[in-house]
Amino acid sequence: MAPVTAGAADGDRDRWDHRGEQDGRGDRSDRDEQDGRGERDGWRGWRAAAGAALYGPGGFYRRPEGPAGHFRTSVHASPLFAGAVARLLCRVDEALGRPAVLDFVDMAAGRGELVTGVLTALPADVAARVRAYAVELADRPAGLDHRIEWRADPPERVTGLLFANEWLDNVPVEVVEVDPAGVPRLVLVRADGTERLGEPVAGAEARWLARWWPLGGEEGLRAEIGLPRDRAWAAAAGTLARGLAVAVDYAHTAGARPPFGTLTGFREGRETSPVPDGSCDITAHVALDACAAACALPGARLLSQRDALRSLGLTGDRPPLARASTDPAGYVRALATASQAAELTAPGGFGDFGWLVQPVGIGDVLTG
């Protein structure tokens, strides 16, 4: 099982809705006052509840064990993933004309596993020019490579690659459900996971729903309003002066939205009910097409992780069997590598992840 993760989000993430709304708390607090979702009676929208449960004091992602203590991402599955990201950074470097300083920004860095792996996999001449950033709300891990700058917000004027692996799925969002009269209403939740329906969806959230995830009139249909994720991605991509921004996540697009939403929880490697008490991860798949449109920049495209990694040299093809007799040790190593690559590109698993690729001032480096 490979549940989704990211390393940081709302709560503190609200400063730019990790980092998208430049303090998105304004509309939410106004709406809470209007519909009685304040904490006085324990009912809150899912966005506020998940933000506190994941990133507030004692929240799930503040724990010392980090995401790897509860689930595997592509980063944890194999060092081949970091190696592929390192090759992508090298392609960006070439497209930029090999600048004197090449930035690599690891969004929602967890405990720094990806940025560490990328630095290790880079050719020495490229690594010598890289300025590496880990963007994460948790404390800096002990013993992390001194070359990595640990910070709560991404740097501005990035020249290089900004990479967000399983970040946007953990930017908390509101959940809506169609009531018996066919009206989409905000879903309110208590800390024990009990839900009830609140006010009808209105304003910018209603407009987002109508454009990106229109619900029919059937009672019980649900959706997650991805507006905070759109704003977060636009803000992240907006830090690029030149280079490439990439978001990798479980995703869906218009025409294939899940009818009952995707909100779920994970604890110790197992899927569980989403309970916003800090005991589990709370996640929902990402409408990456909406995120792409929010950038207002040309050249964005969506592809699967399978296609992206294949373009970066990971195929999962088994080595020729004849090699087993001529080079047994090499054959075993190649077979192990192929097995790991196959997991990262497998249909029904990591291979189905969506990649949102947003170039800024460079061409498409994910071809071939």
Side-chain angles (χ1 to χ4, degrees):
M1 179 180 294
V4 281
T5 184
D10 227 7
D12 286 340
R13 188 172 278 205
D14 254 344
R15 280 176 292 172
W16 53 293
D17 232 348
H18 213 44
R19 272 109 184 148
E21 278 190 64
Q22 295 295 345
D23 198 353
R25 288 174 287 191
D27 345 338
R28 187 171 66 242
S29 60
D30 291 345
R31 194 177 58 229
D32 286 351
E33 193 171 306
Q34 293 166 10
D35 66 15
R37 283 191 293 151
E39 295 188 38
R40 289 171 299 177
D41 58 3
W43 294 102
R44 294 187 288 180
W46 265 107
R47 183 179 170 207
L54 295 177
Y55 309 107
F60 185 80
Y61 277 105
R62 300 285 192 172
R63 296 181 179 183
E65 69 269 21
H70 296 273
F71 36 70
R72 295 166 76 240
T73 70
S74 297
V75 179
H76 307 121
S78 170
L80 295 178
F81 187 79
V85 176
R87 287 193 292 279
L88 178 59
L89 179 58
C90 289
R91 292 189 186 181
V92 171
D93 183 41
E94 291 296 327
L96 290 169
R98 297 176 59 83
V101 177
L102 177 67
D103 295 320
F104 176 67
V105 182
D106 181 8
M107 291 293 296
R111 297 303 177 266
E113 298 94 337
L114 177 59
V115 63
T116 298
V118 168
L119 286 175
T120 300
L122 286 172
D125 64 314
V126 179
R129 292 183 288 111
V130 166
R131 184 165 51 193
Y133 300 94
V135 181
E136 175 58 64
L137 294 179
D139 293 337
R140 181 186 181 99
L144 189 70
D145 192 316
H146 70 277
R147 294 174 294 174
I148 300 169
E149 181 178 334
W150 194 266
R151 50 190 295 156
D153 298 301
E156 296 292 337
R157 305 298 298 170
V158 171
T159 300
L161 174 62
L162 180 144
F163 200 88
N165 185 58
E166 299 191 49
W167 164 47
L168 291 172
D169 68 287
N170 282 131
V171 173
V173 292
E174 298 290 8
V175 178
V176 300
E177 182 176 319
V178 177
D179 71 7
V183 176
R185 291 179 176 269
L186 292 158
V187 177
L188 309 184
V189 64
R190 280 181 165 160
D192 63 0
T194 304
E195 293 182 336
R196 70 171 173 85
L197 298 187
E199 292 295 307
V201 183
E205 292 173 335
R207 292 190 292 274
W208 189 94
L209 195 66
R211 179 181 180 188
W212 293 109
W213 199 333
L215 292 170
E218 181 183 342
E219 181 182 2
L221 293 176
R222 287 170 69 116
E224 294 104 26
I225 298 177
L227 186 59
R229 294 167 173 180
D230 296 354
R231 291 169 173 168
W233 178 247
T239 65
L240 281 175
R242 291 182 67 217
L244 185 70
V246 179
V248 181
D249 245 308
Y250 282 120
H252 46 67
T253 55
R257 307 287 191 214
F260 302 105
T262 62
L263 185 75
T264 191
F266 286 97
R267 183 188 298 113
E268 296 178 355
R270 297 179 181 276
E271 189 167 9
T272 184
S273 297
V275 178
D277 62 358
S279 68
C280 66
D281 183 27
I282 298 171
T283 178
H285 295 193
V286 182
L288 277 182
D289 49 349
C291 294
C295 283
L297 292 169
R301 70 180 178 111
L302 301 175
L303 66 163
S304 70
Q305 175 155 300
R306 182 180 313 108
D307 291 340
L309 291 184
R310 284 177 175 173
S311 76
L312 292 167
L314 288 185
T315 65
D317 294 341
R318 295 169 64 92
L321 186 58
R323 186 176 175 183
S325 57
T326 60
D327 180 14
Y331 176 78
V332 170
R333 289 193 298 271
L335 193 62
T337 297
S339 177
Q340 293 176 32
E343 182 183 9
L344 291 172
T345 58
F350 289 124
D352 288 344
F353 274 50
W355 280 44
L356 167 53
V357 179
Q358 177 65 69
V360 178
I362 64 172
D364 190 344
V365 296
L366 262 177
T367 56

